[in-house]
Every structure is written in C-alpha cells, then in structure tokens.
Amino acid sequence: PLAPGVLWAGCDPTAPPLFAKMTSTCIASASLGQVYRGTTHQGREIAVKVQRPDALRRCLLDASVIIVALFAIQGRYWSGDLLAIFDEVAAGVVQELDFRNEAANAAAFGSSLSFLGYVRVPETLPELTTRRAMVMEWVYGRHLSDLGPEEAMRMTYMAVEAVTAGLVLTGLVHADPHEGNVMLADDGSLVFLDFGLMSRVTDAVQEAFASGIQCVLSKDYDG
C-alpha cells in the first residue's frame, strides 16, 4: 500500500505501507501527472507527483497526429522547417516524462540561482523518485492570487529578477514559470515548482537578451 488505507492496483495489501499518510485524491493536477500530499514514516511532510498511467501513450498519439498535420502544411503554408521545431518540442516532452530528469533539473536550477539568496526549490527525495513518480518536501506558501498588494509586488519583483537572471546570467531557464509554478513561501522566499520543462541559453543569446533589455530601459529602440 502507498499508505494505510490507500491501495494501488496490484499491490500486496499485507505489505508495509510506503508512507505513513497520503491523500486518497490528488490535490493538484497537470497534463502529465497528479500531485498528492503525504507524510513519511519519519514525520516529514511531502508532495508526491505521480505520472498519469496513459501519459506516454497519449503523447505518442498526439505526436502522430501533429506530424501528419505538419507534413500537410510544410512548404504549402509555411516555408520554415516545422518538423525541426516539432523535434525540439518532442525531445522536451520525452525528457519531461522521466521524473528523474525533473529532479535533476530542480537541483541544478536551485543551485544556479542560489547567489540571489531568496530562491528556493523543494528538496527532492532521490530514494523515492523513479521515472514515473517523484517525492519532494512539502513547502508552505501562497500563490500570487492569494497575496495582498505589498506581498504581491515583492513576489513579482523577485520573480522577474530570478527569471531575468536565468536569461542573462546563468543560462538555465525555467520554461514554464506561470503563477501555479511560483509561490511565496511562509518564510519569505520565492519558490519555483515543476521543472519538467527547462531550457539552456547559449552565451550569445544571453548577451542578446541583456542588450535588448538595456535598449528598452534606455528607450534606445533602434539598438
């Protein structure tokens, strides 16, 4: 059992439970997985992300349909290499299907922005993380929509600075920093979640981003 009273198909109901507690229903969901809240036998509160059983099959079916559509469009309505763009996106999705990659991304992202002093990434428990399941520490915090004006402004400032640092300084970019994946922790730190989609930016592109930002700030729109 995953926890007392929480069974999964095919498990041995007489075996020791993996966790001390775990919600029987998900507390959050996304396209590829669902998140449950639990507690380890050592009393540590955790978030358990579990991949949907049919995620790989659905991704492969979607890819087949998209490839057929792109072949029909290629050269007729678009002169660029659409299949090359699709290959890049598909590679990212394949990486995202292995939660061990996400755990590694989380550690790398947290390390890359540690110099800011306020960015926090939930710690992953590697001994409980597999290709289709990932266990992280539970972080208490609130999302932007739950904050008052002053806290919202402070969180926004930190988020913009952190995302910009990835674009122009570290080259490691969180590719999906929407409101649901960023929150303000109760200790005041900025917490990033969901590291399935990441991107690496070359030095040349970092320089271009930095130059573009400087031009906008100085109103030099001709560069």
Side-chain angles (χ1 to χ4, degrees):
L2 294 173
V6 183
L7 307 178
W8 55 278
C11 76
D12 179 1
T14 64
L18 187 58
F19 305 112
K21 296 179 182 179
M22 186 173 176
T23 55
S24 57
T25 57
C26 66
I27 60 170
S29 62
S31 56
L32 297 180
Q34 296 177 321
V35 179
Y36 299 80
R37 184 174 180 177
T39 306
T40 66
H41 291 291
Q42 293 74 35
R44 186 174 191 181
E45 293 185 273
I46 54 172
V48 183
K49 184 176 181 180
V50 181
Q51 190 176 118
R52 295 180 186 274
D54 60 346
L56 177 59
R57 176 178 175 274
R58 287 181 176 275
C59 287
L60 292 175
L61 287 174
D62 289 346
S64 299
V65 173
I66 292 172
I67 289 174
V68 171
L70 292 181
F71 268 117
I73 296 173
Q74 185 76 40
R76 184 175 302 178
Y77 303 105
W78 181 268
S79 58
D81 193 343
L82 293 175
L83 290 176
I85 296 174
F86 173 77
D87 284 344
E88 186 73 19
V89 174
V93 173
V94 171
Q95 290 287 317
E96 191 175 2
L97 284 169
D98 190 335
F99 287 169
R100 294 169 296 187
N101 291 327
E102 181 172 350
N105 289 340
F109 184 80
S111 177
S112 72
L113 294 180
S114 61
F115 69 94
L116 291 176
Y118 57 77
V119 172
R120 181 178 174 186
V121 170
E123 180 185 352
T124 302
L125 280 61
E127 69 275 13
L128 294 173
T129 296
T130 66
R131 182 177 66 84
R132 295 179 56 190
M134 182 170 64
V135 179
M136 303 156 284
E137 66 169 319
W138 182 268
V139 177
Y140 285 92
R142 292 165 294 160
H143 293 284
L144 186 62
S145 59
D146 300 319
L147 302 177
E150 290 187 9
E151 286 184 313
M153 182 61 69
R154 179 161 59 89
M155 177 184 173
T156 302
Y157 177 86
M158 291 192 296
V160 170
E161 186 175 53
V163 171
T164 303
L167 288 171
V168 303
L169 293 176
T170 72
L172 183 59
V173 179
H174 191 302
D176 195 21
H178 60 75
E179 182 183 346
N181 286 340
V182 186
M183 67 179 188
L184 186 68
D186 289 352
D187 63 4
S189 59
L190 181 72
V191 180
F192 281 87
L193 306 169
D194 194 350
F195 300 90
L197 287 176
M198 302 291 292
S199 180
R200 292 192 177 273
V201 182
T202 64
D203 291 345
V205 174
Q206 289 181 58
E207 289 289 340
F209 271 124
S211 177
I213 292 172
Q214 289 176 337
C215 288
V216 170
L217 293 176
S218 62
K219 298 184 179 181
D220 178 13
Y221 301 117
D222 294 328

